[in-house]
Amino acid sequence: MEDSCCQLSTISPFLLLIFLSTITTLAEAQLTGVNYGMNGDNLPPPDQVISHCKFKNIKNLRLFDPNPAVLQALHGSGITVILGTLNQDVQPLGTDANFAKTWVATNVLPHTTSVTFRYITVGNEVIPGDIATGQFLLPAMQNLQTAITAAGLSIPVTTVIPTGVLGVSFPPSQSVFSVTSLPIMGPIISFLAAKETPLLVNVYPFFAYSGNPKDVSLEYALFTATKPPVIDGKLSYMNLFDAIVDAVYSAMEKVEGGGAVGLVVSETGWPSGGGAVGASVENALMYNKNVVAHSKSNAGTPKRPGKELDVYVFALFNEDQKPAGTEQNFGLFYPNLTQVYHVDF
Ligand SMILES: *[C@@H]1O[C@H](CO)[C@@H](O)[C@H](O)[C@H]1NC(C)=O
């Protein structure tokens, strides 16, 4: 507000109230998007994909890497972008400020006048699988943020974690980062708190259900439970998605400054086939329809009611170069652009 056109003191308290409540509404508006994964040898060309997204009212996309043809196709589309770096670039980004500068010059600067970048994300699910590379996540975020700022841009830089970084995740209030993840997550969360930037997390009730269908009810996983299957102190959980998100909030709260850090659900989804328990078109439709509606309802979660929580569905397409079986069946669309099932965005 540094170049404010009007002194607040000259506005009547009544107008001020309307003004402030408008700002609040804008700030709290949830956003739903889709992950544009490209691990397929039969996917349509990017310009066709972007036209298709516009036609389907998909206004926000997440990219796993700065694919030049996709970024070009996004020009003027009005679609916002979360732009990721490859995991193999995390270490060079963290150790070499010039690499970060070149990354921004190559992948971001040519597009900033025609594409809205919401976040730049360093790596995808680097930890807990690769703790050695994980050491470079925060330096990479710092180098990229410095390069972004030096280029005169203001795009927040963050990273994407899986819920595998949690050591304890149930009940949600007892959640903590694992012993191996905490030394990496702690400083990252302090960085995000200082920048007022959210952490991105991939949330998959499907895997919790499919791996343990005896203890996790399908209704709880699909948002169709009629009474709360989980009660945690004063909070009742009607769906597993909220319980997982709140477990991440709880773990963050136990880290210095973490109570103020927000979350974006960078991936969530349900497979329509592939053989795993619960993988079916009916369940995928139910889950994705309900998670999008849940996001649009602005409900937040039991722990953070009404708090902004953007949600990105995984994924746009069934991808035939992912591991065989269930992993190839998370798409909303077949590669020929026919829908696998219908979800409104
Ligand atoms: C699109 O692909 C799916 C899956 O291969 C197939 O079932 C469907 O018939 C195709 N639709 C068209 C219009 O080709």
Side-chain angles (χ1 to χ4, degrees):
M1 290 293 261
E2 63 270 32
D3 283 322
S4 177
C5 64
C6 17
Q7 301 266 317
L8 285 183
S9 57
T10 64
I11 301 176
S12 82
F14 177 66
L15 282 177
L16 182 60
L17 199 65
I18 293 175
F19 182 56
L20 289 177
S21 67
T22 307
I23 290 176
T24 308
T25 310
L26 287 175
E28 297 295 320
Q30 318 282 306
L31 184 150
T32 49
V34 182
N35 285 267
Y36 182 2
M38 301 184 73
N39 290 315
D41 60 11
N42 52 359
L43 300 180
D47 53 348
Q48 212 177 323
V49 174
I50 299 308
S51 302
H52 181 70
C53 288
K54 287 168 72 178
F55 177 60
K56 293 290 175 184
N57 205 31
I58 294 168
K59 294 179 172 150
N60 310 284
L61 288 174
R62 171 175 172 230
L63 307 182
F64 290 87
D65 62 85
N67 180 298
V70 174
L71 288 167
Q72 195 61 45
L74 280 159
H75 280 212
S77 65
I79 293 173
T80 79
V81 176
I82 296 178
L83 179 62
T85 77
L86 291 167
N87 285 355
Q88 71 208 40
D89 286 343
V90 172
Q91 180 165 350
L93 285 167
T95 52
D96 183 354
N98 274 323
F99 187 94
K101 209 173 151 192
T102 304
W103 196 95
V104 170
T106 308
N107 302 310
V108 183
L109 273 177
H111 310 291
T112 47
T113 54
S114 314
V115 179
T116 302
F117 292 102
R118 295 190 64 83
Y119 304 105
I120 291 175
T121 57
V122 175
N124 180 48
E125 303 195 347
V126 169
I127 59 167
D130 184 357
I131 294 289
T133 302
Q135 313 285 345
F136 298 100
L137 283 172
L138 180 58
M141 289 163 67
Q142 288 165 327
N143 281 344
L144 270 179
Q145 191 74 73
T146 301
I148 291 280
T149 307
L153 304 171
S154 57
I155 308 166
V157 178
T158 181
T159 187
V160 181
I161 55 155
T163 51
V165 297
L166 301 176
V168 173
S169 60
F170 188 86
S173 61
Q174 298 307 304
S175 175
V176 288
F177 289 115
S178 69
V179 172
T180 47
S181 295
L182 183 61
I184 294 170
M185 288 310 299
I188 286 176
I189 283 167
S190 301
F191 171 88
L192 296 174
K195 306 278 185 204
E196 298 183 10
T197 299
L199 178 67
L200 273 55
V201 57
N202 297 339
V203 174
Y204 283 101
F206 165 74
F207 290 112
Y209 166 74
S210 191
N212 194 5
K214 284 204 177 72
D215 294 325
V216 179
S217 87
L218 185 61
E219 291 73 25
Y220 185 49
L222 293 179
F223 294 85
T224 55
T226 47
K227 32 181 218 272
V230 168
I231 300 194
D232 180 15
K234 289 183 181 141
L235 303 179
S236 301
Y237 288 91
M238 295 295 288
N239 65 77
L240 181 52
F241 174 88
D242 280 349
I244 296 173
V245 171
D246 276 359
V248 182
Y249 280 130
S250 290
M252 289 203 301
E253 267 174 9
K254 291 163 191 147
V255 172
E256 173 93 39
V261 176
L263 290 176
V264 168
V265 175
S266 35
E267 287 176 34
T268 192
W270 197 286
S272 59
V277 176
S280 71
V281 171
E282 295 72 24
N283 290 345
L285 166 63
M286 186 62 76
Y287 181 81
N288 283 319
K289 191 179 64 139
N290 286 341
V291 80
V292 167
H294 183 57
S295 165
K296 286 185 174 169
S297 76
N298 291 3
T301 61
K303 199 172 166 60
R304 297 268 193 276
K307 167 110 177 137
E308 178 176 10
L309 186 67
D310 300 340
V311 170
Y312 286 72
V313 172
F314 187 90
L316 212 42
F317 295 110
N318 281 347
E319 296 169 64
D320 69 352
Q321 292 175 320
K322 299 215 76 162
T326 306
E327 293 270 345
Q328 295 186 356
N329 290 276
F330 274 83
L332 299 169
F333 300 96
Y334 297 111
N336 62 15
L337 295 172
T338 305
Q339 66 187 17
V340 181
Y341 47 88
H342 181 77
V343 177
D344 267 319
F345 283 91

